[in-house]
Amino acid sequence: MPTHPQEPDRAAPDRGPQVPEGTGPGLRGDLPQPGPLRSEAASGGPGPDAARPAPAEDEHTTVIRELEDRWRRALADLDNLRKRHAKELERERAVERSRTAAAFLPVLDNLELALTHAGSDPGALVEGIRAVRDQAVNVLELLGYPRHAETGVAFDPARHEVVGVVQDPDAPPGTVVEVLRPGYGDGERQLRPAAVTVAKRE
């Protein structure tokens, strides 16, 4: 029985690797593709320079800092000036006290001399004390505090302090009859007013 040569099986065409349905290249285009990056500034959000202060804000901050520094320096200068003035004032007061005390040293020296000779001549003691009194009055006058112990003058409330009113027919009413305690100084430089008695008005 003759045999016919068998035709080789027709091979199925090579279709390549099978791709599951629904995952082919045609469907990839349906997926969202990443687009170009957009800056946040373009989208309305803060951009990369949002953290940096505006130039105007930098300028205002610098000015404020400079003003604060000047203010602190001015306060420090004022405090130093106040301290320096206080020291100078205290030094001037010390100098003035020393000058006044030195002016009274001769008065004390004469008092000691009068007391030393008091036993030998009591009359000389009275004269010595009177001389010392006059010397002290002169010192006060040189310092700007003249003595006021006048009688027969009109009463002046700025210079006199009334401690009594007397009836004196020989004295005009309202005049100083007697000075009980002398006054020293005038006006703003008055140490104290004179204590006096005044003639009574009729």
Side-chain angles (χ1 to χ4, degrees), residues 20-163:
E21 184 178 357
T23 61
L27 296 177
R28 291 181 181 177
D30 296 336
L31 296 177
Q33 300 296 325
L37 295 176
R38 293 185 302 171
S39 64
E40 293 182 357
S43 62
D49 297 336
R52 300 178 182 176
E57 294 179 359
D58 286 344
E59 182 178 354
H60 292 164
T61 302
T62 302
V63 172
I64 291 174
R65 289 177 179 175
E66 291 179 355
L67 292 177
E68 289 178 349
D69 183 65
R70 292 180 182 179
W71 176 65
R72 293 189 181 94
R73 290 176 181 269
L75 288 180
D77 293 341
L78 182 61
D79 186 61
N80 292 335
L81 179 61
R82 180 184 60 80
K83 293 178 180 178
R84 183 166 59 251
H85 178 70
K87 291 181 180 179
E88 292 178 356
L89 183 61
E90 182 61 28
R91 183 167 54 251
E92 290 296 330
R93 288 176 177 174
V95 171
E96 186 65 22
R97 287 193 297 267
S98 299
R99 188 171 69 91
T100 303
F104 274 97
L105 290 179
V107 177
L108 294 176
D109 294 338
N110 289 333
L111 278 175
E112 291 180 356
L113 289 175
L115 292 174
T116 301
H117 297 87
S120 58
D121 188 358
L125 175 63
V126 175
E127 292 298 327
I129 292 177
R130 184 177 289 110
V132 172
R133 191 274 314 272
D134 294 341
Q135 186 179 17
V137 169
N138 184 53
V139 170
L140 285 175
E141 186 174 357
L142 292 176
L143 292 175
Y145 303 102
R147 184 173 185 263
H148 297 290
E150 303 85 1
T151 58
V153 298
F155 170 76
D156 184 358
R159 300 172 55 185
H160 301 131
E161 178 184 357
V162 178
V163 295

